[in-house]
Amino acid sequence: MILLDDVTLTYPDGDSRVTAVDRVTIEGRPGIVTGITGPSGSGKSSILAIAATLVRPDSGRVLVDGTDATTLSRAEATTLRREKIGIVFQQPQLLPALTAREQVRVMAELGGRGTRARRAAVRARVDDLLDAVGLIDQAERRPAQLSGGQRQRIAIARALVHEPRVLLVDEPTSALDRQRGAAIMELLARLTRERGTATLLVTHDLVHESALDETVEVVDGTARPAGLTSRTR
Ligand code: ADP
Ligand code: MG
């Protein structure tokens, strides 16, 4: 699980500072997609960067599976991120020279030593995920040979291959048409349930609300619950 507990983030702005995130509390629970919505510039990506431990808030706590990330050194935060957090950015940010399978495998092999058994396990996990995102038949293709939606699917597989407890996704459909966007959202909802990740998903497009279990609305850096949505049991 992930808990942003009363986090505030300011950025420098000339001689003063601008408050991008204002005392926000958001909880992500296993198997649940928590949507973060709100207009452009309201602080959604800043909230996600805090959750990802990429940015340290001015105040408040970030609990990832019980560890307060705001107390960790940079190196410790990197380790926490590598073990517990998967991130899907707005743009897939793939390496042009690598095949789909290699993009996912590279992530799986980060920081680990390759015994033969481990390499075999990683190979199996990579192909299991490529299958889960519907790309097993395109595993040998490079990004230039894939559509935008397929590239985003690789990014999702890559974010999940180290079996993170927390999945953070920022506007995954912004570069896609509505139909492909809906398919990506449904995929994220299914993977969240199947793999039990606590998923925080930023979207400004409420067309995709049916894929969200809960929604938090962010306005001018302040979050308020926008209620439970249709998928909530
Ligand atoms: P959203 O993702 O909802 O569009 P952001 O989190 O990107 O919102 O931005 C929230 C506010 O913080 C905006 O006013 C934006 O201009 C400002 N901001 C974001 N990143 C930075 C930065 N690195 N430096 C200064 N201001 C920033
Ligand atoms: Mg943003």
Side-chain angles (χ1 to χ4, degrees):
M1 74 91 183
I2 181 159
L3 176 65
L4 304 188
D5 179 18
D6 201 16
V7 295
T8 291
L9 177 70
T10 64
Y11 292 114
D13 179 28
D15 290 340
S16 65
R17 301 186 72 84
V18 57
T19 301
V21 179
D22 194 0
R23 304 200 58 178
V24 164
T25 295
I26 296 177
E27 184 182 17
R29 304 194 306 287
I32 298 287
V33 181
T34 302
I36 301 174
T37 69
S40 179
S42 59
K44 304 182 299 296
S45 293
S46 298
I47 289 170
L48 226 57
I50 294 168
T53 75
L54 292 168
V55 171
R56 191 180 295 233
D58 299 42
S59 61
R61 299 184 307 157
V62 179
L63 292 179
V64 180
D65 262 1
T67 301
D68 184 356
T70 63
T71 65
L72 302 179
S73 70
R74 200 176 269 265
E76 288 167 336
T78 301
T79 302
L80 177 81
R81 198 180 314 128
R82 195 177 282 164
E83 290 178 351
K84 304 261 184 177
I85 300 175
I87 309 175
V88 179
F89 296 102
Q90 222 162 334
Q91 301 296 329
Q93 305 189 350
L94 304 176
L95 298 163
L98 300 189
T99 66
R101 182 176 276 124
E102 288 165 345
Q103 314 268 355
V104 181
R105 192 166 68 209
V106 160
M107 202 54 197
E109 285 172 346
L110 270 187
R113 274 204 155 252
T115 64
R116 182 191 292 241
R118 188 174 187 278
R119 281 199 304 274
V122 163
R123 265 201 305 277
R125 210 159 71 224
V126 167
D127 277 14
D128 170 54
L129 262 167
L130 287 171
D131 195 27
V133 301
L135 273 187
I136 194 71
D137 293 337
Q138 287 81 31
E140 293 303 317
R141 294 208 191 161
R142 290 173 221 286
Q145 302 167 292
L146 295 167
S147 71
Q150 289 172 327
R151 289 200 281 267
Q152 198 55 287
R153 286 167 191 271
I154 297 174
I156 292 167
R158 185 181 57 185
L160 287 170
V161 74
H162 59 301
E163 302 182 323
R165 304 313 307 140
V166 174
L167 180 64
L168 305 174
V169 192
D170 195 354
E171 310 240 19
T173 65
S174 58
L176 304 178
D177 62 45
R178 180 160 293 189
Q179 195 182 342
R180 290 203 173 83
I184 289 290
M185 295 291 281
E186 284 307 323
L187 174 65
L188 286 162
R190 176 167 62 78
L191 290 169
T192 294
R193 283 195 303 274
E194 288 175 358
R195 292 172 192 255
T197 56
T199 300
L200 302 185
L201 197 165
V202 168
T203 176
H204 68 264
D205 194 351
L206 282 177
V207 154
H208 300 305
E209 199 169 15
S210 65
L212 311 174
D213 294 300
E214 298 177 5
T215 313
V216 173
E217 190 181 5
V218 182
V219 178
D220 284 343
T222 304
R224 60 165 178 253
L228 307 174
T229 53
S230 50
R231 277 195 55 233
T232 304
R233 287 142 291 221

